[in-house]
Amino acid sequence: MIRVENLTKTFAAPGGGEVQALAGITLRIDRGEFVAVVGPSGSGKSTLLFAMGGLATPTSGQVFLGETRVYDLEREARAALRRTEVGFVFQTFNLVPYLTCLENVALPPLLAGRARADAMAAAEAVLERLGMTARRHHRPAQLSVGERQRVGIGRALVNAPRVLLADEPTGNLDPATADQVLDVLRDLNRGGQTIVMVTHDLRLAEQAGRIVRLRSGALDLAVPSRVTA
Amino acid sequence: MTSAALWLVRRELAARVRRVALAGAVVATIAAAVTATELVARGREAAVAAQIDLVGPALTVVPRGTTASALARYDIAGELPSWTEGAIRGALERDLRGIEKRIVVHREVAGAHYPIVGVFPAAGSDAALDEAAVGSELARRHDVGSRVTVYGREFEVVRVLPSTGSVEDAALFVPFGAARGLGGVEGVNELRVFLAAGVSAHEAEARVARALPGATVIRTDRGEVADAAIQESLARHRAIAYAVMAAVAALTLLIAAHLDATERRIELATLVAVGASRWTMFGALLARSAAVAGGGAAVGALVGSLIGAAQEPSIRDVGPTTWALAAVVVGAGALVGMVAAVPTAFACAARDPVRELQEG
């Protein structure tokens, strides 16, 4: 499903020199898996996630989504891939503040060129699935943080992507709300949705099917990854 | 640009109208100033042209075949029939103020050819037969007090005529009889027709032309020509002022676009993450700035039209000029807005969305 082969990513450090965010990561995620990526701050979790989603061009190595070599695609083709094959969920929700919930969720299909009515219908269906129909005409500022993250998940799901990439999706939520959001993700996974979730919360990570640990941009093999399902 | 980009721009502007109000207001103020200034200027130009037409220019009647450009060079061939003057008087009747008869010949004066203009003396004129006036250009060589010899006949220069910017500046003006003698002709070859105040030169031209099928009638339009030069100069200055105003608007819009894109950097990075293409983002930023500027310009054009109408009564009726000017102002505003957003759009396209998302 997703293969990451010997992926490296180096940034220029602000004070000169280089920072190696990813140091030769090789990883395979199969269809229907729910993988949690854990590690300390600065270990490269989010960079790996964005690289898998075609957003962070690696310094070297390859990312395969199915049979597609993601970074062999032109920039516009990668944007098209993000519209249809990948769904991002963000820690701070990143909803467009002037759009309603319905419009936020309809954004990816609209960007993909679908007709307005079609996009809105798809968004309605996703919001219903997430129990957010009653809030569809509210703006993000009028929602609780848990509801905002549900809308964020809806936006990531609406184009039926092959993989959902969640960057600390519960990082801004209280424990109870975090559990609710995680329940949503587990429900989706039970329905066959492939999910990769970055988190620093081991309690939540243990709810995933597999844990991948990163340390200093590399896989931490000292602690074995665990399969719970 | 995709329809999604336009949809986003529309939704954003509808929800955040206050945020763009300042930039829009600056554009509106400039557009209002441009519209009002241009409308008033054009109204005044039209009024002056109409005034000149009514009080001004004489018609010039010359022998058939003489073109306006030939007349401008004083290159007049042949003579007018003797009944021409009577026909003009008959055609114009009370609308006629007077007729000046001239004979124009080209003769050598001190080694160069100049037009010699014989002017029929006005009643009461005491000009002597050996006195002459010179145009301002010819006066450089033959000033007041000098003597000019033409074909063995000597004239004393007694006056320098003010510059008219025409061929007359290089002409020698002599008494009618003297010019006839120099040219060896009996009649006249130029009649200058002066109209009573309030008579349209355009209409008079048509009436005289109908009465004189054997002659050429030319509306000299000197006043309009002189006015055109002034108007041209004023139009140039207005164009410079408008260019400066457009630059101010562009700078305002550029700063507004930059501030907006900086403030919305996470939103823009998120749009990239959810699949907005570079061109969608580029188009959205350009369309947004164009919409702000175009909207501001539209409001400004409306306000400017009202101000213009209040200042210049002749433009109170909204006509094609007003509509065309408003369209140009709105179009130019939108274009300036679009161009002003280009640097910001390029800068946004060059940003790393991951960095924005991680640092945001």
Side-chain angles (χ1 to χ4, degrees):
Chain A
M1 173 70 175
I2 300 181
R3 277 187 295 136
V4 175
E5 290 186 354
N6 202 24
L7 202 69
T8 66
K9 175 77 176 174
T10 305
F11 293 111
E18 289 184 334
V19 174
Q20 191 160 41
L22 298 175
I25 288 182
T26 297
L27 181 67
R28 179 192 171 93
I29 294 166
D30 290 323
R31 183 190 299 264
E33 269 200 287
F34 185 174
V35 176
V37 180
V38 297
S41 292
S43 59
K45 305 184 297 290
S46 296
T47 305
L48 174 64
L49 192 85
F50 289 129
M52 285 197 285
L55 202 57
T57 306
T59 307
S60 67
Q62 282 293 341
V63 174
F64 291 85
L65 187 59
E67 295 307 314
T68 307
R69 291 163 76 106
V70 173
Y71 291 97
D72 281 359
L73 298 173
E74 292 292 326
R75 192 169 168 168
E76 297 304 305
R78 281 210 307 279
L81 181 123
R82 287 197 299 275
R83 283 196 290 271
T84 54
E85 305 289 325
V86 176
F88 280 106
V89 178
F90 303 97
Q91 177 179 352
T92 49
F93 329 122
N94 294 16
L95 299 176
V96 179
Y98 48 84
L99 299 181
T100 64
C101 294
L102 184 67
E103 290 167 337
N104 264 289
V105 176
L107 199 49
L110 285 169
L111 289 171
R114 283 167 73 176
R116 181 96 42 88
D118 196 13
M120 293 298 173
E124 289 261 19
V126 169
L127 286 177
E128 189 179 351
R129 189 172 157 197
L130 294 168
M132 289 293 294
T133 301
R135 300 291 219 167
R136 66 188 185 282
H137 295 307
H138 288 71
R139 294 229 170 108
Q142 298 168 308
L143 303 177
S144 69
V145 285
E147 287 171 328
R148 287 182 211 178
Q149 194 56 294
R150 279 171 188 259
V151 175
I153 292 169
R155 182 178 62 188
L157 282 178
V158 67
N159 276 344
R162 284 211 253 183
V163 60
L164 199 70
L165 301 173
D167 183 21
E168 302 270 13
T170 58
N172 271 25
L173 307 178
D174 60 79
T177 311
D179 285 341
Q180 288 170 13
V181 168
L182 196 69
D183 285 345
V184 171
L185 294 177
R186 290 181 68 184
D187 281 348
L188 292 169
N189 178 243
R190 275 195 286 274
Q193 179 68 55
T194 308
I195 299 174
V196 181
M197 176 179 73
V198 164
T199 182
H200 62 274
D201 187 339
L202 275 175
R203 185 182 66 85
L204 293 176
E206 282 168 359
Q207 312 275 321
R210 177 155 61 112
I211 298 175
V212 171
R213 295 171 193 275
L214 290 190
R215 181 175 294 277
S216 302
L219 290 179
D220 184 359
L221 300 173
V223 183
S225 298
R226 186 179 54 81
V227 177
T228 57
Chain B
M1 196 189 322
T2 64
S3 58
L6 292 177
W7 175 77
L8 263 177
V9 170
R10 219 171 42 243
R11 297 295 293 122
E12 194 240 327
L13 291 180
R16 295 171 158 177
V17 70
R18 283 185 188 172
R19 289 165 59 117
V20 296
L22 182 63
V26 170
V27 175
T29 305
I30 289 171
V34 169
T35 306
T37 305
E38 195 59 25
L39 274 178
V40 170
R42 289 184 186 191
R44 295 265 156 86
E45 274 174 25
V48 169
Q51 200 68 14
I52 288 169
D53 180 42
L54 289 175
V55 300
L59 303 175
T60 301
V61 180
V62 286
R64 191 209 301 244
T66 306
T67 62
S69 57
L71 177 62
R73 298 189 305 273
Y74 256 155
D75 188 7
I76 305 170
E79 294 178 32
L80 288 165
S82 56
W83 46 267
T84 305
E85 185 181 344
I88 294 169
R89 290 186 186 282
L92 296 177
E93 300 177 331
R94 295 175 66 178
D95 291 340
L96 180 70
R97 182 150 57 93
I99 296 177
E100 182 184 280
K101 291 181 280 188
R102 288 183 168 197
I103 177 84
V104 181
V105 294
H106 284 258
R107 291 291 179 265
E108 190 179 305
V109 179
H113 275 83
Y114 293 97
I116 313 295
V117 182
V119 184
F120 196 81
S125 166
D126 54 358
L129 279 174
D130 62 348
E131 287 181 346
V134 291
S136 58
E137 192 64 34
L138 188 58
R140 294 184 180 188
R141 298 178 63 181
H142 304 284
D143 207 347
V144 173
S146 64
R147 302 191 78 79
V148 180
T149 304
V150 186
Y151 275 29
R153 186 160 178 176
E154 201 170 70
F155 297 92
E156 182 189 356
V157 176
V158 295
R159 194 151 72 98
V160 176
L161 300 176
S163 173
T164 61
S166 71
V167 69
E168 288 184 359
D169 291 349
L172 179 72
F173 294 82
V174 300
F176 193 75
R180 270 185 164 170
L182 287 170
V185 293
E186 287 298 313
V188 296
N189 56 12
E190 182 187 11
L191 291 177
R192 295 193 154 199
V193 180
F194 295 91
L195 302 170
V199 177
S200 164
H202 285 79
E203 287 173 21
E205 179 188 17
R207 283 154 68 187
V208 173
R210 274 198 301 275
L212 294 172
T216 299
V217 182
I218 296 171
R219 206 162 25 86
T220 41
D221 285 348
R222 282 163 197 237
E224 285 185 34
V225 169
D227 183 63
I230 294 165
Q231 294 304 338
E232 209 171 274
S233 165
L234 288 174
R236 224 175 10 252
H237 283 90
R238 286 205 307 274
I240 292 168
Y242 298 159
V244 171
M245 291 183 194
V248 171
L251 188 64
T252 306
L253 291 163
L254 189 148
I255 293 167
H258 175 75
L259 290 176
D260 176 69
T262 303
E263 197 176 323
R264 294 170 61 202
R265 66 189 198 287
I266 296 170
E267 178 194 325
L268 298 177
T270 304
L271 289 174
V272 172
V274 300
S277 71
R278 185 171 29 166
W279 296 115
T280 299
M281 302 301 296
F282 208 86
L285 291 168
L286 261 55
R288 181 186 191 277
S289 186
V292 171
V299 172
L302 176 66
V303 173
S305 302
L306 296 173
I307 294 171
Q311 282 184 284
E312 181 59 55
S314 68
I315 54 172
R316 278 195 186 142
D317 294 331
V318 176
T321 306
T322 310
W323 285 117
L325 182 62
V328 168
V329 167
V330 173
L335 186 66
V336 166
M338 203 177 285
V339 171
V342 167
T344 302
F346 271 116
C348 285
R351 279 183 195 160
D352 178 4
V354 172
R355 193 169 172 179
E356 302 290 347
L357 290 168
Q358 288 184 323
E359 289 180 357

